[in-house]
Amino acid sequence: MSLNDYIKFLTQQFVLRLDQPKEVRKKERAAKKAERPPFAYRTFGIVPLAISLLFKKRASKK
């Protein structure tokens, strides 16, 4: 893909985005935000889950 093709693609996507009503853009942004995993899992991966399971297991034994 040449640079000219890439700039053409970006321009088309930008124009499509600008043509959408503001409410549609807000709904899309809210939907994306809702399906993202929690911050701790995005940042640190599975480690927070493992630690929380460890503490839950210890609490249930007591």
Side-chain angles (χ1 to χ4, degrees):
M1 181 182 244
S2 69
L3 180 63
N4 199 18
D5 292 338
Y6 185 66
I7 291 173
K8 183 178 178 181
F9 170 75
L10 287 177
T11 306
Q12 288 174 348
Q13 294 301 312
F14 181 73
V15 170
L16 287 175
R17 179 87 170 150
L18 284 179
D19 287 342
Q20 288 181 337
K22 190 174 186 178
E23 296 83 26
V24 173
R25 291 191 306 250
K26 282 189 175 185
K27 285 181 184 177
E28 287 178 358
R29 191 177 318 124
K32 278 185 181 179
K33 193 173 186 177
E35 68 184 33
R36 282 193 336 204
F39 177 75
Y41 295 156
R42 279 187 290 138
T43 307
F44 303 110
I46 194 97
V47 174
L49 176 64
I51 292 172
S52 66
L53 289 175
L54 179 69
F55 283 119
K56 284 182 184 179
K57 192 181 277 189
R58 285 188 181 183
S60 67
K61 285 184 179 179
K62 289 182 181 181

